[in-house]
Amino acid sequence: MAGVTASAPAKLVLSGEYAVLHGGPAISAAVGVRACATVAPTADSWSLRITNSGQSFDFSPAAAGGIEWRTDPGEMGQLLAAAWGVLNQAQALSACGPHVVELDSRAFFTAAGAKRGLGSSAAVAVALTAALQTALGVAPTAAACLAVHAAFQQQRGSGIDVCTSFHGGVITKTAAAVEPLGWPEELCAAAVWTGMPASTTALLSRMEAFAASHPAAFERAREPLHVAAAATLSDWRAAPAAQVLESLYEFARQLHRFDDDCAIGIWSAEHVRLERLADDFGLVYKPSGAGGGDYGLAFGLNPERLEDFVLAAGALGFTAPDFDLSVPGLRVQPLTGPAA
């Protein structure tokens, strides 16, 4: 295999959270925060370097097609093992000779080491899978990236984070397809960090537990959410920005009801506080992604009001990072120097 480096962006879900888990449509934007993966030949043994911690972990290809670690590398090692398992079914990775695999997702964490809720595992999975495929002489595919992340997550999740990292820009994902979208003219948005990292796994587990114990009530709860998600997508494609804003408001309202009915914890105290603040400025606010913490999004038609909201949120201790939405997706290029 030749040396290669790849990067993939973060994501923020704009609409359709939870609906997308059951075949409904969601809208997501790639964010200007990137994860990187590098695969480079070495004269030594196979190893995984984790830039975040500065640690290095040696491993050996297993006879059964997996990986044998000398010491446990944690989550990054699980991602590499998932990629190895998926790609080794069609490509003899172990026959390529020793390589160093380096993974870097530092931009997805706060200075204190907390996850920022931007889809770090999906972005790393896309960058890693694409780097390995390219090094093997295979064109990177979204299908392989989805398979790797699904294996890592034990087949949970909708895959919209992976698709957003791979394709970039703004996309919609339904059960059937991924479609690129534009950004509605005059619609403004700002992301706000609640200061509270959230566990997507815990939130999904609560939803799944409610669905299992109250299947009829769960169906009644999610149907209006699906209707609101579909209406938002329809308006996003063609309607004026004012109508898009109305649809986002309705989706946020239905997300409230869904959360209340299913007792998931999507609307944390921080999200409720930010929602009330956004309402003071005539803006629409909603959690982004699983909720419970992490990021929320404020939408409006007046950039000045959005700026005032961001300043007011900052005065309350919330932060609004200055990163771009709708950035390019996966990037892959030959490695021009040794792995760092």
Side-chain angles (χ1 to χ4, degrees):
M1 292 195 296
V4 64
T5 185
S7 73
K11 69 88 181 70
L12 283 172
V13 178
L14 308 179
S15 174
E17 293 91 342
Y18 290 91
V20 73
L21 293 168
H22 300 92
I27 304 171
S28 181
V31 176
V33 172
R34 303 186 76 87
C36 298
T38 299
V39 179
T42 178
D44 301 319
S45 62
W46 284 93
S47 65
L48 168 65
R49 294 180 186 171
I50 303 175
T51 308
N52 301 36
S53 64
Q55 294 177 293
S56 183
F57 300 87
D58 291 340
F59 66 91
S60 301
I67 288 176
E68 294 178 351
W69 299 98
R70 297 184 185 177
T71 54
D72 183 8
E75 186 175 275
M76 290 290 201
Q78 294 167 20
L79 264 170
L80 177 56
W84 192 280
V86 169
L87 297 180
N88 205 41
Q89 295 175 18
Q91 303 288 344
L93 287 169
S94 57
C96 296
H99 279 67
V100 175
V101 179
E102 183 166 2
L103 302 178
D104 183 356
S105 62
R106 288 173 294 178
F108 289 75
F109 292 80
T110 67
K115 279 189 176 181
R116 297 170 63 189
L118 291 168
S120 61
S121 66
V124 172
V126 170
L128 170 61
T129 305
L132 288 171
Q133 286 187 292
T134 303
L136 286 163
V138 177
T141 63
C145 296
L146 284 163
V148 168
H149 198 244
F152 168 72
Q153 287 197 313
Q154 299 180 328
Q155 310 305 315
R156 299 178 82 180
S158 69
I160 191 169
D161 45 4
V162 174
C163 292
T164 308
S165 290
F166 187 90
H167 295 285
V170 179
I171 67 162
T172 180
K173 182 182 186 300
T174 64
V178 173
E179 173 193 339
L181 297 173
W183 188 276
E185 189 176 354
E186 297 184 2
L187 183 68
C188 307
V192 182
W193 166 245
T194 63
M196 297 294 294
S199 170
T200 299
T201 300
L203 291 158
L204 292 181
S205 294
R206 288 178 206 152
M207 182 198 70
E208 291 163 357
F210 182 87
S213 59
H214 303 86
F218 180 74
E219 287 300 315
R220 288 194 299 271
R222 75 180 181 92
E223 178 59 27
L225 193 68
H226 279 233
V227 171
T232 304
L233 174 58
S234 178
D235 288 338
W236 189 283
R237 285 183 172 128
Q243 181 59 45
V244 176
L245 197 63
E246 287 292 328
S247 292
L248 287 166
Y249 173 80
E250 177 61 16
F251 180 80
R253 190 174 75 88
Q254 294 300 336
L255 190 62
H256 259 300
R257 291 185 59 185
F258 179 74
D259 192 24
D260 290 342
D261 291 344
C262 302
I264 299 170
I266 301 168
W267 287 86
S268 64
E270 291 79 16
H271 282 305
V272 170
R273 193 178 184 192
L274 284 164
E275 181 190 33
R276 290 172 179 165
L277 181 65
D279 189 60
D280 291 340
F281 290 92
L283 306 172
V284 172
Y285 178 89
K286 58 177 287 296
S288 176
D294 292 339
Y295 279 89
L297 287 162
F299 296 92
L301 305 179
N302 188 313
E304 289 76 20
R305 285 188 183 181
L306 202 65
E307 291 173 6
D308 290 342
F309 162 77
V310 166
L311 291 173
L316 294 176
F318 299 105
T319 57
D322 184 20
F323 46 47
D324 294 329
L325 297 176
S326 191
V327 303
L330 173 68
R331 291 174 173 167
V332 183
Q333 59 188 37
L335 185 65
T336 56

